[in-house]
Amino acid sequence: MLLSEPSSGGSQTHSSAGNLTPKSGRVPDGAGGPDNVYGVSMGYANPQQTAAGIHTRLYSRAFIIDDRRRRVLFVTADVGMISQRLRLEVLQALQVKYGDLYRQDNVVLSGTHTHSGPAGYFQYTLFMITSKGYIKSSIEPLVNGIVKSIDRAHSNMKPGRIYRSTGELGDSSLNRSPHSYLNNPEDERHRYKQNTDKQVTVLKFTDLDGDGIGMLSWFAVHAVSMNYTNRMVSSDNMGYASYLMEQDKNPGELPGQGGFVAGFSSSNLGDVSPNTKGPHCVNTGLPCDYLNSSCPVGGTKLCKAFGPGEDMFDSTRIIGHNIYRKAKELYGSAVEEVTGFLHFAHQWVNMTDVTVQINSTHTATTCKPALGHSFAAGTTDGGGDLNFTQGAVEGDPFWDGIRDALVGKPSNQTQACHHPKPILFSTGEMNKPLPWHPEVVDVQIIILGSVAVVPVPGEMTIDLGTVVIAGLSNIYTHYITTYEEYQVQRYEGASTIYGPHTLSAYLQKYRGLARAIAQDRVSELPVGPQPPFFQNNLISLLAAAGVDGKPENSSFGDVLDQVLPVYRQVGHTASLRALYFTHRDKTFVTVEIYDNRTNTWEVVYTDASWETRFHWLKGSNRQSNSTVEWHIPPAAPSGSYRIRHFGHYMLRRFPQPIINPYEGVSDVFEVAASFYYQ
């Protein structure tokens, strides 16, 4: 028996979630705010994609497993990926609270890969440039939220059991680089039924009485159902699956509350898209060019893949519901108990200088980091703005000349090492103001009885999913393709930063960890070089939030556009527009129903609910407006409702500005089955 916390007898476990903007309930990230507190969203590398509202909250969900000998902690967080800086700061906070109980070798932090979460929590220059710098107001809520979810799991541990179940989910994923996949050896491809990994793995957590307390699931799909035009913070399809499962298992509770925690974690999603209609040229409707995903007119920019829904919200709903439905089925049928003991092993590795044994007579090495031309082309889930295309195995004199003038030419050694990649940015040879890419990377394995989980520091492609892959974990190093996929140099290969033998180097390191575990020699493993923790030269390109203004004869929170008197339960949206600044640590929005029995208002939805959308618009003269939408579900009871909005505004005062709270409230309106409401 594996699960539980160390108390009296038995193995122990617990799971907890935290709003990544610390608030009651699970632990979510903060969202929205003046001048877009998070700057750009992390994932599409689009500086124009600044956050301006909340679609769904982001959560950290922590799972602790203890067998009375050892303990492991697994966190899945609604962020694009775990950065090295985020992991190091979380580990520092855990060291202060718990001493040596939670360490780099027994803690896994994994990101769900939503592309609509905060940026600004990286310490390497490339990511700072694309994220408006290193932003304390991004990383602090992430650290605090993750740690709070761990605190809750730690304090609620109890004896329990784990069960495993696996199954396949179709119609929810598509290989976005099938040409690269076909370059893999035929005998390897024949080991798989499809060119994407369809397997869903579920770990079911119960107490000793068999009552469910949580679940952890892995499925390979990009969380990009919310596309690059989205400007709202969103947990995307994986977050919606968690939302549905937790609402199912915590009936009557608001999002982020209730004892059951459902974590949906990323896996080997490198070439896997949720946009199941595939790529088409938006100007003609015809399929894009198969080899380089471009259009005859418009190039890569007009080649876009679309999800199964009418828009990105509908596609997120469909894919997320599919994932939830399959996980719920597997959770209900899970009878294979996970028994045995916990094991784990960890090393830091300099990934720029790993010697790989190719065969009995030949070796190769990894390379200093570099990104290829096709990196700038983007993917069919979000193409680049310039005239780059996927599949480029030759450089472009125009762009190479600009590169040489701005950041310098790649060395001959690096060019030879990365062949056939034409290098756009030789990031391993760029160190101002700080290194552009990491050299030191975590490699780690955790064994839960009969279940092996491999936390991978990047996005692995299909042929790599031989065990449970926990993708986007501990540090982000872009993509990890097979050697054969690398040769094609589509986006994924161009983004495999340590060269064509990156995968072989990782597999060699993981084999070493597994061997040490099997031989009970983990203590003999070299720890490896410590990763850097930069204190200086962390740049910030995000302007400080300014003071707030409002029209004369008005107050913050005043309603500008009132609700209608009556709405129907099907197909209607109640909306409210109000003067707005920001809100900290709590919800921006509540939808409340009047309880005639108690003559009180009861909160039934918040800004963490799927049915609400919160938009923030920065206007002229420092004046901002917010719009709250409640998409009324068919199941909403008939009755009297109101919408409330909460926030803070900042005024200029000496010696420092002051921040005051405010709130706004709509008129009371009715929800009824008919407009002829009595």
Side-chain angles (χ1 to χ4, degrees):
M1 180 170 61
L2 279 175
L3 289 167
S4 342
E5 278 111 315
S7 57
S8 55
S11 61
Q12 302 171 354
T13 184
H14 194 65
S15 52
S16 180
N19 184 341
L20 293 175
T21 358
K23 96 174 209 185
S24 59
R26 250 139 216 88
V27 186
D29 290 316
D35 298 317
N36 311 309
V37 172
Y38 286 143
V40 300
S41 296
M42 186 67 217
Y44 292 112
N46 178 6
Q48 306 307 314
Q49 194 190 14
T50 50
I54 301 174
H55 174 224
T56 54
R57 283 271 174 171
L58 311 178
Y59 287 90
S60 168
R61 296 173 171 88
F63 300 82
I64 299 173
I65 302 173
D66 190 294
D67 67 357
R68 294 193 294 170
R69 298 164 63 250
R70 299 184 180 94
R71 173 176 293 201
V72 297
L73 163 63
F74 188 96
V75 174
T76 176
D78 291 330
V79 293
M81 60 286 290
I82 302 299
S83 73
Q84 185 177 79
R85 183 56 174 249
L86 178 58
R87 176 169 166 82
L88 291 175
E89 293 207 15
V90 168
L91 288 173
Q92 286 181 2
L94 294 177
Q95 170 72 29
V96 170
K97 284 195 170 192
Y98 300 106
D100 291 332
L101 184 59
Y102 301 112
R103 312 169 304 275
Q104 76 273 1
D105 58 344
N106 69 344
V107 172
V108 180
L109 305 182
S110 180
T112 62
H113 206 37
T114 173
H115 284 44
S116 298
Y121 57 98
F122 291 78
Q123 65 175 3
Y124 292 97
T125 300
L126 177 75
F127 303 111
M128 288 194 286
I129 288 175
T130 58
S131 303
K132 294 192 176 180
Y134 174 82
I135 305 170
K136 286 189 176 181
S137 54
S138 278
I139 196 166
E140 287 177 356
L142 296 179
V143 173
N144 293 340
I146 289 171
V147 172
K148 183 173 284 190
S149 70
I150 295 167
D151 291 341
R152 290 176 178 166
H154 178 89
S155 62
N156 287 286
M157 291 183 70
K158 57 185 175 182
R161 293 186 171 91
I162 305 176
Y163 300 88
R164 176 176 63 175
S165 184
T166 61
E168 290 196 351
L169 172 61
D171 301 325
S172 297
S173 58
L174 182 80
N175 191 311
R176 69 185 187 190
S177 285
H179 178 55
S180 294
Y181 178 81
L182 287 175
N183 208 45
N184 287 306
E186 186 176 1
D187 60 335
E188 287 189 17
R189 288 187 279 113
H190 283 170
R191 293 163 52 194
Y192 306 96
K193 292 186 290 186
Q194 297 103 354
N195 63 2
T196 56
D197 188 350
K198 305 291 186 181
Q199 180 166 287
V200 179
T201 298
V202 168
L203 296 183
K204 174 181 180 178
F205 302 95
T206 74
D207 61 21
L208 293 181
D209 294 327
D211 295 326
I213 60 175
M215 61 150 287
L216 185 55
S217 175
W218 289 271
F219 177 60
V221 69
H222 259 77
V224 293
S225 292
M226 299 294 290
N227 64 40
Y228 68 97
T229 67
N230 173 49
R231 294 187 61 197
M232 304 174 73
V233 170
S234 175
S235 58
D236 212 284
N237 47 44
M238 299 295 277
Y240 185 49
S242 290
Y243 173 87
L244 290 173
M245 192 73 178
E246 289 175 352
Q247 291 293 99
D248 189 320
K249 297 296 183 179
N250 298 312
E253 299 281 2
L254 291 172
Q257 299 180 14
F260 189 95
V261 178
F264 285 75
S265 183
S266 62
S267 189
N268 49 313
L269 50 69
D271 50 7
V272 188
S273 170
N275 294 314
T276 53
K277 289 182 181 176
H280 292 79
C281 297
V282 296
N283 52 347
T284 66
L286 297 175
C288 303
D289 180 88
Y290 176 77
L291 297 181
N292 58 31
S293 298
S294 65
C295 300
V297 177
T300 58
K301 187 64 179 175
L302 294 186
C303 174
K304 303 183 188 305
F306 295 92
E310 296 179 357
D311 57 24
M312 60 182 171
F313 298 97
D314 194 33
S315 292
T316 302
R317 179 188 62 79
I318 293 170
I319 298 297
H321 188 271
N322 289 350
I323 298 169
Y324 148 74
R325 187 181 63 225
K326 188 64 183 182
K328 181 181 178 181
E329 171 195 321
L330 294 172
Y331 177 91
S333 63
V335 294
E336 177 192 348
E337 186 169 2
V338 178
T339 59
F341 293 101
L342 297 176
H343 300 276
F344 45 81
H346 172 278
Q347 284 183 302
W348 282 302
V349 175
N350 182 348
M351 276 299 294
T352 70
D353 187 26
V354 178
T355 299
V356 178
Q357 192 71 41
I358 301 298
N359 53 42
S360 59
T361 59
H362 290 77
T363 61
T365 62
T366 54
C367 315
K368 291 183 177 181
L371 292 164
H373 275 243
S374 293
F375 163 78
T379 73
T380 55
D381 293 329
D385 287 321
L386 304 173
N387 63 336
F388 292 90
T389 59
Q390 296 194 64
V393 291
E394 294 183 359
D396 181 286
F398 174 77
W399 292 114
D400 288 348
I402 292 177
R403 173 206 62 201
D404 295 349
L406 292 177
V407 297
K409 184 178 181 180
S411 68
N412 291 337
Q413 179 183 3
T414 297
Q415 290 186 68
C417 188
H418 279 271
H419 181 80
K421 176 193 292 180
I423 294 175
L424 181 62
F425 295 117
S426 184
T427 52
E429 299 174 315
M430 299 160 63
N431 295 292
K432 294 182 179 180
L434 289 168
W436 281 50
H437 264 145
E439 290 186 349
V440 178
V441 173
D442 295 75
V443 291
Q444 184 180 26
I445 291 179
I446 60 173
I447 308 293
L448 317 176
S450 57
V451 178
V453 179
V454 178
V456 172
E459 305 178 49
M460 277 191 165
T461 52
I462 171 62
D463 270 10
L464 316 180
T466 56
V467 294
V468 175
I469 299 292
L472 291 305
S473 293
N474 298 336
I475 178 176
Y476 185 61
T477 62
H478 297 269
Y479 283 72
I480 305 165
T481 66
T482 65
Y483 177 85
E484 292 80 7
E485 290 168 342
Y486 185 92
Q487 307 305 308
V488 179
Q489 279 298 297
R490 282 178 62 86
Y491 175 82
E492 294 81 9
S495 304
T496 298
I497 62 173
Y498 299 114
H501 301 288
T502 298
L503 171 60
S504 297
Y506 277 120
L507 294 180
Q508 184 170 291
K509 292 297 179 181
Y510 288 128
R511 280 195 294 268
L513 297 183
R515 188 179 304 113
I517 290 173
Q519 297 174 354
D520 195 22
R521 301 178 66 178
V522 172
S523 61
E524 300 175 20
L525 286 171
V527 175
Q530 293 277 339
F533 187 89
F534 298 120
Q535 301 282 13
N536 301 315
N537 298 327
L538 293 165
I539 60 176
S540 178
L541 306 174
L542 186 68
V547 296
D548 295 286
K550 60 181 180 62
E552 292 185 10
N553 303 317
S554 66
S555 300
F556 288 100
D558 283 355
V559 176
L560 304 179
D561 295 324
Q562 269 294 357
V563 294
L564 298 175
V566 181
Y567 292 89
R568 292 187 60 193
Q569 290 153 317
V570 180
H572 274 195
T573 300
S575 64
L576 166 80
R577 190 165 67 95
L579 293 172
Y580 162 71
F581 175 51
T582 186
H583 196 42
R584 301 177 301 176
D585 300 341
K586 297 181 180 178
T587 185
F588 291 94
V589 173
T590 59
V591 178
E592 302 173 3
I593 188 172
Y594 189 73
D595 189 334
N596 293 304
R597 298 166 300 177
T598 60
N599 295 323
T600 58
W601 290 95
E602 177 189 356
V603 176
V604 287
Y605 299 96
T606 68
D607 66 12
S609 301
W610 174 262
E611 293 81 2
T612 62
R613 295 178 194 171
F614 173 70
H615 304 270
W616 174 72
L617 177 64
K618 183 179 180 181
S620 59
N621 300 320
R622 304 187 310 278
Q623 297 175 13
S624 301
N625 294 338
S626 65
T627 299
V628 177
E629 298 176 3
W630 175 37
H631 294 254
I632 303 171
S638 297
S640 300
Y641 289 82
R642 69 181 184 185
I643 297 173
R644 297 176 73 196
H645 163 56
F646 306 87
H648 286 77
Y649 62 92
M650 183 162 62
L651 297 178
R652 183 179 287 112
R653 292 289 187 273
F654 183 81
Q656 60 185 14
I658 61 172
I659 297 176
N660 294 322
Y662 75 85
E663 66 177 78
V665 60
S666 74
D667 292 342
V668 176
F669 59 93
E670 306 297 331
V671 171
S674 166
F675 283 122
Y676 301 101
Y677 181 79
Q678 299 295 324

